[in-house]
């Protein structure tokens, strides 16, 4: 069968068919850039619109102060200010709290914990469009509860106080926490926190159960752990004191001034200074726990009187009653020798670890007692000082003794009469 071919096969090349290269077409003539400047309105034909271009500019987004982030629970509800970045008169602000309705902004927004705040600038002029949305989340960091307050009906047990009421106040918000507490004797330890008692109402403790006094430990624990952490512990103590100085030592020596100026009247109490000091001494000794040891010594121009020689006595009921009876027979005399008073502690066969030093006047020697003070300091014996109606210089002496030995001070000032001056400087 013969067929006519419509394909002309190559005669000049080795390819299937012949081909030839053609030159690229020349680009059309004309400019490659054009001007984008607008045509002046005066040159635009009346049939062409002259309004603003179809493109508009977005407004700047607002910003928050404080910015989003995590803040302590005590900062909430948080007041957030929204500021407009745009020129006055160009925009107004709207906001949305927790994805609620958009609301015109007129002042700080109150933001609760763990909330989202969004804001946007919206245009007041046609050539502007709304800004992007500013969004922030305000998270809450848990706070720490405030420690409870412990109130005692009396600071210590004494002859007239055998029962003490204990109340614990919770300063935290209602429903935020509860109080747990524990008690211990001075020589004991607190139980594990898991064994503390839930506090519900005030309670009483008695001297029979805690003859040496006691310590009270308490803390607030959170009912909403996501919002609050437990409070620090707080502590109070029922213990013997002497003119507000806690008797914390195991071996306590009372050293009292028995100079003639101690016979001066104290304020309008109807008592003289010596009687005021002895009354406080009786209360302090009565409140001492049986585990403590105590002694009493008095000085004037020399070593005036010592209870039971230079032996500290266990604070048993019998010994305390014996000491109270003994001091009631002591009277005062002339002179104020700090040297004699400060020499007492090291004369005891067992040295005290806390000395209560009481005086109402200046020492006969301005510095002669420094050697005795240095000896007490070297032995590590704490001296707490009490001043009755002392002037500035006398207070300075007692403060110096206390500071040198790590002790504290307590001053009884009679505002009604002022500080009394002794008639005889040698007795002061």
């Amino acid at each position: 069968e013969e067929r006519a071919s419509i394909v002309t096969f190559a005669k000049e090349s080795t390819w299937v068919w012949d081909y030839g290269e053609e030159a690229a077409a020349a680009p059309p003539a004309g400019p490659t850039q054009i001007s984008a400047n607008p045509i002046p309105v005066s040159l635009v034909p009346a049939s062409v619109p002259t309004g603003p271009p179809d493109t508009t500019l977005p407004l700047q987004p607002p910003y928050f102060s404080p910015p989003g982030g995590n803040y302590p629970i005590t900062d909430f509800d948080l007041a957030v200010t929204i500021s407009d970045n745009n020129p006055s008169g160009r925009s107004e602000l709207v906001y949305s709290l927790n994805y609620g309705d958009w609301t015109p902004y007129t002042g700080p927004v109150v933001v609760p914990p763990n909330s989202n705040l969004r804001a946007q600038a919206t245009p007041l002029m046609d050539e502007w469009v709304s800004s992007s949305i500013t969004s922030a989340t305000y998270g809450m960091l848990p706070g720490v509860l405030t420690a409870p307050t412990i109130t005692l009906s009396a600071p210590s047990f004494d002859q007239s106080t055998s029962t003490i009421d204990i109340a614990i106040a919770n300063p935290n918000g209602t429903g935020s926490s509860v109080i747990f507490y524990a008690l211990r004797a001075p020589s004991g330890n607190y139980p594990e926190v898991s064994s503390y008692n839930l506090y519900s109402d005030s309670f009483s403790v008695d001297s029979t159960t805690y003859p040496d006094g006691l310590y009270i430990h308490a803390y607030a624990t959170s009912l909403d752990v996501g919002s609050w952490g437990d409070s620090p512990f707080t502590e109070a103590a029922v213990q013997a004191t002497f003119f507000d100085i806690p008797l914390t030592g195991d071996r306590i020596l009372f050293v009292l001034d028995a100079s003639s100026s101690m016979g001066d009247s104290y304020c309008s109490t109807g008592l003289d200074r010596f009687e005021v000091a002895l009354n406080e001494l009786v209360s302090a000794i009565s409140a001492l726990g049986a585990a403590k040891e105590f002694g009493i010594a008095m000085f004037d121009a020399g070593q005036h009187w010592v209870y039971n020689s230079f032996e500290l006595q266990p604070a048993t009921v019998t010994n305390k009653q014996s000491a109270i009876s003994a001091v009631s027979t002591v009277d005062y005399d002339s002179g104020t020798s700090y040297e004699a008073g400060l020499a007492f502690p090291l004369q005891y066969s067992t040295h005290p670890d806390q000395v209560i030093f009481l005086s109402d006047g200046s020492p006969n020697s301005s510095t002669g007692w420094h050697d005795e003070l240095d000896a007490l300091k070297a032995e590590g014996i704490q001296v707490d000082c009490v001043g009755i109606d002392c002037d500035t210089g006398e207070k300075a002496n007692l403060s110096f003794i206390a500071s040198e030995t790590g002790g504290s001070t307590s001053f009884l000032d009679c505002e009604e009469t002022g500080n009394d001056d002794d008639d005889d400087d040698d007795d002061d």
Side-chain angles (χ1 to χ4, degrees):
E1 180 179 3
E2 292 183 0
R3 294 185 178 182
S5 174
I6 61 173
V7 178
T8 302
F9 293 100
K11 295 180 179 181
E12 299 178 358
S13 69
T14 59
W15 190 235
V16 178
W17 55 83
D18 291 327
Y19 65 91
E21 297 288 349
E22 294 185 2
T32 57
Q33 295 181 347
I34 61 172
S35 173
N37 294 331
I39 300 174
V41 175
S42 59
L43 301 180
V44 177
S47 60
V48 178
T50 59
D54 193 30
T55 58
T56 52
L57 297 175
L59 293 165
Q60 293 295 314
Y63 64 91
F64 300 147
S65 179
N70 294 321
Y71 295 88
I73 187 174
T74 50
D75 288 354
F76 288 96
D77 288 337
L78 195 65
V80 178
T81 299
I82 306 174
S83 299
D84 194 346
N85 276 325
N86 300 284
S88 177
R90 182 176 293 180
S91 60
E92 63 181 359
L93 300 178
V94 293
Y95 72 92
S96 169
L97 184 60
N98 291 327
Y99 304 98
D101 294 337
W102 289 97
T103 303
Y105 176 76
T106 57
V109 180
V110 177
V111 178
N114 302 318
S115 293
N116 176 269
L117 180 64
R118 297 187 298 159
Q120 187 177 36
T122 58
L124 296 174
M125 303 173 67
D126 292 340
E127 56 265 38
W128 299 92
V129 295
S130 297
S131 72
S132 60
I133 295 175
T134 300
S135 179
T137 299
Y138 292 87
M140 182 188 69
L141 297 173
V144 177
L145 293 168
T146 301
T149 302
I150 302 173
T151 303
L152 308 176
S153 62
S156 62
F157 298 119
D158 55 33
Q159 287 181 313
S160 60
T161 305
S162 59
T163 301
I164 292 177
D165 297 326
I166 300 174
I168 307 176
N170 188 350
N172 301 288
T174 302
S176 65
S177 58
V178 293
I179 301 298
F180 281 89
Y181 73 94
L183 308 177
R184 71 171 177 87
S187 58
N189 297 311
Y190 291 118
E192 295 293 330
V193 173
S194 59
S195 299
Y196 276 37
N197 303 301
L198 175 64
Y199 178 79
S200 58
D201 202 354
S202 61
F203 58 95
S204 299
V205 292
D206 62 74
S207 57
T208 303
T209 306
Y210 295 98
D212 296 330
L214 72 149
Y215 290 85
I216 306 100
H217 220 211
Y219 74 103
T221 186
S222 176
L223 295 176
D224 180 4
V225 295
S227 301
W228 297 98
D230 291 350
S231 78
F233 287 96
T234 188
E235 187 177 62
V238 174
Q239 57 186 0
T241 62
F242 185 82
F243 288 124
D244 296 328
I245 293 178
L247 302 179
T248 56
D250 294 324
R251 302 178 303 281
I252 303 167
L253 176 62
F254 298 92
V255 179
L256 306 184
D257 185 344
S259 64
S260 59
S261 60
M262 289 291 288
D264 291 352
S265 61
Y266 179 69
C267 301
S268 57
T269 61
L271 302 174
D272 59 36
R273 299 172 184 173
F274 196 62
E275 289 172 321
V276 170
L278 291 186
N279 286 344
E280 184 70 10
L281 177 65
V282 169
S283 294
I285 291 174
S286 300
L288 291 177
K292 294 184 181 292
E293 295 181 346
F294 73 99
I296 309 169
M298 300 185 189
F299 66 94
D300 47 24
Q303 293 191 342
H304 182 67
W305 180 82
V306 175
Y307 169 65
N308 203 43
S309 187
F310 293 103
E311 297 289 338
L312 296 175
Q313 300 297 303
T316 63
V317 173
T318 299
N319 288 340
K320 291 191 291 186
Q321 290 175 343
S322 174
I324 291 169
S325 296
V327 297
S328 66
T329 65
V330 183
D331 204 351
Y332 40 80
D333 205 340
S334 62
T336 305
S337 173
Y338 276 20
E339 297 99 306
L342 294 175
F344 277 125
L346 298 184
Q347 293 177 259
Y348 278 75
S349 57
T350 301
H351 295 167
D353 56 10
Q354 182 182 15
V355 174
I356 303 296
F357 187 83
L358 179 146
S359 180
D360 73 336
S362 298
N364 295 340
S365 171
S366 60
T367 60
W369 45 273
H370 283 199
D371 290 342
E372 285 76 12
L373 177 60
D374 290 340
L376 294 175
K377 183 178 177 182
E379 289 292 320
I381 297 176
Q382 174 182 314
V383 182
D384 298 293
C385 294
V386 178
I388 298 182
D389 273 351
C390 292
D391 63 24
T392 302
E394 294 158 356
K395 289 181 179 179
N397 284 328
L398 296 175
S399 296
F400 177 72
I401 293 171
S403 65
E404 286 292 292
T405 61
S408 58
T409 58
S410 177
F411 295 112
L412 283 71
D413 294 323
C414 184
E415 297 180 356
E416 298 176 35
T417 61
N419 291 329
D420 295 336
D421 293 326
D422 291 328
D423 297 331
D424 186 350
D425 288 342
D426 290 338
D427 294 342
D428 192 14

